[in-house]
Amino acid sequence: MTSATRILIDTDPGIDDAMAIFYALASPELEVVALTTVFGNCHTDVATVNALRLLDIAERPDIPVVEGAVAPLVMPYRGPVAFVHGTDGQGDVFLPPSSRAPLPTTAAQFIVDTVLADPDEITIVLLGPFTNMALAMMLCPGLTQHVKQIVVMGGAAFTSGNASPASEANVLNDPEAADIVFGADCPIVMAGLDVTHRITMTDDDLARFAAIDNPRAQHLAAIMPHYVRFYLERNGVHGIYVHDSTTISYLLAPELFSWRELPVRVDTGHSVCRGRTLPALRDSDEEGPWHGRRAVRILTDVDARAVIELELDHLSC
Ligand code: RIB
Ligand code: CA
């Protein structure tokens, strides 16, 4: 029997983050070693409390939570998106406080320590702005030579953005960090809007959560109406895009996806294109901005029905 893939999830929970975390926890193929938190959908302190509460619901007190950065590397935090995820980041259900506390270290330091303690075995899953991973790379140059793989929800290579016409939300929340992480020296998989906008959980799919008799599915059923309302009012979509869970589906079943492999840079300028993820579609000039960067595996298509069924199956356990 092959051993479970060890994953560290960096997250800004977030309704779709909660889905992804519960999906990972329900996957015997994955071992979640920690949750680290970051600003994004909500402030970092709210993200930390939510990470602890989600682990309470999942009855996983063994998994540590570590609080991360409260602001992007360079620019101020753009602020919470309560209209998407609720003022509490969890659909305004206002969960009870957790009895647990985060570990007394920083997410960046924790990422460094975790990777160095288990070289070549840790997969990092980024579900929020990439700030903590970028800080870890700055703390320990050469770190990513020892990372098994980084799988990110973020970016929009061949399609338009969602936080601006040019940029996806996690990247726009910290373009400088994203540009650092896309330059990492390990395999990188980008589950951006190119693929996540092809996966819509329909109202019928979502109704299936309510029928699943476990606390994780019941929590998702409780928080989902807020998210569904947002998609209907803002995008005219019936159902939800399954953003963050796509990273977990890829780890479980990469054969359900197709991709292109190209180096990626992020526009860190202060124009209308700030935060745009730019793949090198042709060979980069010697010493040009893409030169010497590893190709990123950019997910471009998916068997959407198969990944939705995969996730619903896992969440039913
Ligand atoms: O663009 C989608 C991403 O932004 C997801 O990670 C969602 O949780 C928000 O953070
Ligand atoms: Ca997220």
Side-chain angles (χ1 to χ4, degrees), residues 30-208:
L30 305 175
E31 177 193 348
V32 179
V33 299
L35 301 183
T36 55
T37 65
V38 67
F39 66 90
N41 294 324
C42 47
H43 285 282
T44 306
D45 58 340
V46 177
T48 303
V49 166
N50 285 345
L52 291 163
R53 288 164 162 163
L54 292 172
L55 292 173
D56 289 347
I57 292 170
E59 297 181 350
R60 294 300 305 269
D62 54 307
I63 298 177
V65 171
V66 187
E67 189 157 270
V70 299
L73 296 184
V74 176
M75 297 294 286
Y77 170 36
R78 299 170 72 243
V81 283
F83 58 99
V84 188
H85 296 273
T87 52
D88 64 348
Q90 292 292 290
D92 287 335
V93 296
F94 301 105
L95 289 164
S98 174
S99 58
R100 290 210 295 147
L103 293 186
T105 181
T106 64
Q109 187 62 56
F110 186 85
I111 291 170
V112 171
D113 295 344
T114 303
V115 168
L116 295 184
D118 202 2
D120 309 324
E121 292 301 329
I122 302 294
T123 293
I124 311 270
V125 177
L126 303 182
L127 305 181
F130 304 176
T131 317
N132 291 328
M133 188 63 210
L135 287 168
M137 290 167 68
M138 290 192 274
L139 264 180
C140 180
L143 178 74
T144 54
Q145 288 164 21
H146 306 293
V147 172
K148 183 172 181 181
Q149 174 170 226
I150 301 174
V151 184
V152 307
M153 191 288 127
F158 308 107
T159 186
S160 57
N162 58 358
S164 84
S167 184
E168 181 280 331
N170 287 339
V171 172
L172 189 59
N173 261 318
D174 198 343
E176 284 79 8
D179 194 46
I180 291 171
V181 171
F182 282 124
D185 194 10
C186 64
I188 309 169
V189 178
M190 172 177 151
L193 302 182
D194 305 280
V195 69
T196 65
H197 275 180
R198 294 177 187 271
I199 310 171
T200 308
M201 266 196 189
T202 64
D203 293 338
D204 286 349
D205 294 325
L206 295 170
R208 287 160 68 183

Side-chain angles (χ1 to χ4, degrees), residues 202-258:
T202 64
D203 293 338
D204 286 349
D205 294 325
L206 295 170
R208 287 160 68 183
F209 286 118
I212 301 172
D213 184 21
N214 72 45
R216 288 170 279 113
Q218 289 300 309
H219 176 66
L220 296 178
I223 64 180
M224 211 50 80
H226 197 283
Y227 207 42
V228 169
R229 216 164 24 245
F230 162 74
Y231 277 108
L232 189 58
E233 286 170 7
R234 285 292 179 107
N235 298 4
V237 170
H238 289 269
I240 63 162
Y241 292 134
V242 182
H243 291 300
D244 288 341
S245 292
T246 305
T247 57
I248 306 303
S249 294
Y250 172 80
L251 286 169
L252 297 179
E255 69 279 3
L256 296 177
F257 292 84
S258 39

